[in-house]
Amino acid sequence: MRPSETEKIKKIGEFGIRDTGLVDREMLEVVLNDRLGKKVRVKCNEDDTIGDLKKLVAAQTGTRAEKIRIQKWYTVYKDHITLKDYEIHDGMGLELYYS
Amino acid sequence: MANRTDPAAKSIRGTNPQNLVEKILRSKIYQNTYWKEQCFGLTAETLVDKAMELDHLGGTYGGNCKPTPFMCLVMKMLQIQPEKDIVVEFIKNDDYKYVRILGAFYLRLTGTDVDVYRYLEPLYNDYRKLRQKLADGKFALTHVDEVIDELLTKDYSCDIALPRIKKRRTLESIGSLEPRKSVLEDDFEEEEEKEENEQIDGLDNGVDERDYYHGRSPIRERDRDRRRESHRYRDRDYDRDYDRDYDRERGRGRERDRDRERDRDRERERDRDRDRDRDRYRIREEKDYGREREREKEREGRERERRDRDRGRRRSHSRSRSRSRDRKRHGRSSSPKRRADGPDEPKKKKEKKEKKDDGTDHPDPEIAEANKLRAALGLKPLKL
């Protein structure tokens, strides 16, 4: 059985809480906003890197992946680190800038 | 003030020529020290001096996207907009390769489609090396013709989006351009001729042997196959010889090899005669149809092998014979196999279609679309 399934069952068993959709910790949806009119929702895996996320955003917005810069306040996210390591959760909003 | 385009400059593709470079990159160039110090008040002549000092090309590099001097000079050219003949002079000059590339790049940005093809295609023959600065700050090796190819085929180079030009085929069909004649065409033709001549020479020695051996119809009807076969035969021989020579040369001197080669050639001729005799026997037998032919061949083959082993000349015969035997075997076995596979294959195909690895056939259309995009980008499908 996949680990996510065992987690779900544990939850239901321990607290009697119903599983609510995307809490399986594998796929998540991130919102990127550039405050100039571009707001993009991207579905991705938690083990995707920021570079992969940039490619997905580029495909949706039409800019080039190399030009995109993803930030959270003053933290510029690096290309080779995964979303899981940055603790980016489902539904989180990120800032979209261009370089 | 220093950043305004020359008021006498024409607009390119409907806009200020400097707008060919996008806003962010433009601002980066204006803030660059090289631009501020060296590119102030440049004219066409002084620009040439600066261009001669270039030693690498590239777009932006580093974490904060610093532009290279090459970029700054391209920007300057867009600002002052030199005449077309000056740009062509840049391209035609042979001494300074970076000046050439600079001119080519500028022409690609501002020139008409026909001009672009006409002036950039001759540069395909330039094989000189260039130094290119990559986005991480390191240098890479590239060549003039590679860069020209990028300019003509891709739509993004050195961090500038290149304007769209019509494809060569379209221009040819309109008639503005002639079909492309590669300089290598003459070389290819020469090589083809050489090959044909070699094969014809090689055939005089090996013709009889090959024909009898495979029991084929007369020479005239199967020219091409023969040529191909002799070619293959020659290659195999060469490989064998080469390996043997290489192994031997390592251990001992070369003089002995020469002697051995001479001996080998003499042996080969003797073997060829023997082969022809044997094969003539075989052909008479082949005239009788049926499996008896096969059996006899095998028997003869075994006898021949024994003979060879006795004399210690197993080389070419057994190999070529086993090849022909293998071919016969393959010829027979292929058909029954295919028949057996028939009913199984469609079942396997159906199974595969039902379970795609991409997840592009997920019932939820959003997820299916997302997976399609991910597959196109080379990413794994979404984990659900």
Side-chain angles (χ1 to χ4, degrees), chain B residues 99-114:
Chain B
V99 177
R100 204 172 224 190
I101 288 285
L102 186 67
F105 200 87
Y106 179 78
L107 188 67
R108 175 64 176 84
L109 290 178
T110 59
T112 60
D113 305 356
V114 181

Side-chain angles (χ1 to χ4, degrees), chain B residues 195-196 198-207 210 214 216 223-238:
Chain B
E195 266 192 47
E196 283 180 27
E198 277 180 19
Q199 282 171 355
I200 291 171
D201 291 338
L203 285 170
D204 293 338
N205 294 334
V207 155
R210 314 247 78 243
H214 295 286
R216 277 183 169 182
D223 262 342
R224 242 194 248 159
D225 295 348
R226 205 179 0 105
R227 245 186 258 157
R228 240 186 276 138
E229 289 247 27
S230 67
H231 195 70
R232 251 183 270 145
Y233 188 73
R234 246 188 311 125
D235 283 349
R236 266 182 238 129
D237 256 356
Y238 284 168

Side-chain angles (χ1 to χ4, degrees), chain B residues 326-378:
Chain B
D326 288 342
R327 269 188 220 127
K328 293 270 175 177
R329 263 185 239 138
H330 285 310
R332 262 202 231 137
S333 57
S334 60
S335 30
K337 262 189 191 172
R338 267 183 231 148
R339 264 179 254 141
D341 265 345
D344 291 339
E345 278 191 51
K347 276 188 204 165
K348 284 180 196 168
K349 277 184 192 168
K350 273 186 196 166
E351 282 179 43
K352 272 191 183 174
K353 274 185 189 167
E354 283 165 16
K355 297 177 194 170
K356 268 195 197 166
D357 291 328
D358 308 30
T360 48
D361 48 358
H362 198 271
D364 187 349
E366 262 189 57
I367 296 184
E369 215 187 290
N371 278 330
K372 221 187 279 176
L373 174 63
R374 290 177 72 94
L377 289 173

Side-chain angles (χ1 to χ4, degrees), chain B residues 270-285:
Chain B
R270 264 183 258 146
D271 295 339
R272 248 185 248 143
D273 292 342
R274 223 176 283 121
D275 249 358
R276 259 188 237 127
D277 291 337
R278 263 184 244 137
D279 292 336
R280 265 185 230 135
Y281 267 113
R282 219 211 266 165
I283 282 168
R284 271 183 230 153
E285 286 158 354

Side-chain angles (χ1 to χ4, degrees), chain B residues 55-62 66-69 130-142 158-159:
Chain B
D55 70 341
H56 65 276
L57 71 137
T60 55
Y61 64 94
K66 192 167 170 211
T68 55
L130 292 174
R131 200 185 289 140
Q132 186 180 30
K133 195 150 195 174
L134 301 171
D136 54 6
K138 295 188 186 142
F139 285 104
L141 176 68
T142 180
C158 288
D159 281 341

Side-chain angles (χ1 to χ4, degrees), chain A residues 50-77:
Chain A
I50 295 284
D52 300 338
L53 181 62
K54 283 186 184 176
K55 283 189 204 167
L56 291 166
V57 171
Q60 274 189 266
T61 59
T63 45
R64 297 189 67 88
E66 304 95 48
K67 299 271 178 194
I68 289 174
R69 206 170 68 209
I70 298 178
Q71 280 182 232
K72 185 87 185 154
W73 202 229
Y74 284 119
T75 320
V76 179
Y77 284 164

